[in-house]
Amino acid sequence: MAEYTVRKGKWYVARIALSGFNRFATNRMVAAKLEDAGFTNVVVEGSGGIRLAIGYWPSDDATAEQPVEIVDIVEKDSEPEIPT
């Protein structure tokens, strides 16, 4: 797994790829995992194997292993919108 650093006061947009039984998780379940990790204002859209999530990191900068399910992540200075 790769490491990723999240920075205080930044927004993040992540593309999440779920496989196997995890594909049946609700967007609320996926959001709860991100909230458990410390993100706030989490919104998850999509279904099946591909989800798009937005979340805010209010805590101090932190570095952790990036889960393999997160296939792409982008840092934003202001709250992004989920593209339609």
Side-chain angles (χ1 to χ4, degrees):
M1 268 194 256
E3 285 191 344
Y4 191 81
T5 300
V6 289
R7 298 188 307 146
K8 184 175 183 164
K10 298 293 182 178
W11 287 88
Y12 292 87
V13 179
R15 189 165 52 99
I16 301 169
L18 302 175
S19 61
F21 186 72
N22 290 332
R23 296 170 53 92
F24 298 105
T26 65
N27 287 340
R28 183 67 214 129
M29 292 167 72
V30 175
K33 288 278 193 181
L34 295 168
E35 291 164 350
D36 288 348
F39 286 92
T40 62
N41 299 81
V42 176
V43 176
V44 178
E45 302 242 341
S47 62
I50 300 295
R51 312 294 172 94
L52 191 62
I54 292 175
Y56 180 77
W57 187 256
S59 303
D60 290 336
D61 295 2
T63 299
E65 294 291 322
Q66 180 175 317
V68 296
E69 294 86 2
I70 297 178
V71 295
D72 186 40
I73 188 166
V74 177
E75 181 181 279
K76 301 285 187 176
D77 289 326
S78 59
E79 183 175 6
E81 292 184 21
I82 290 183
T84 55

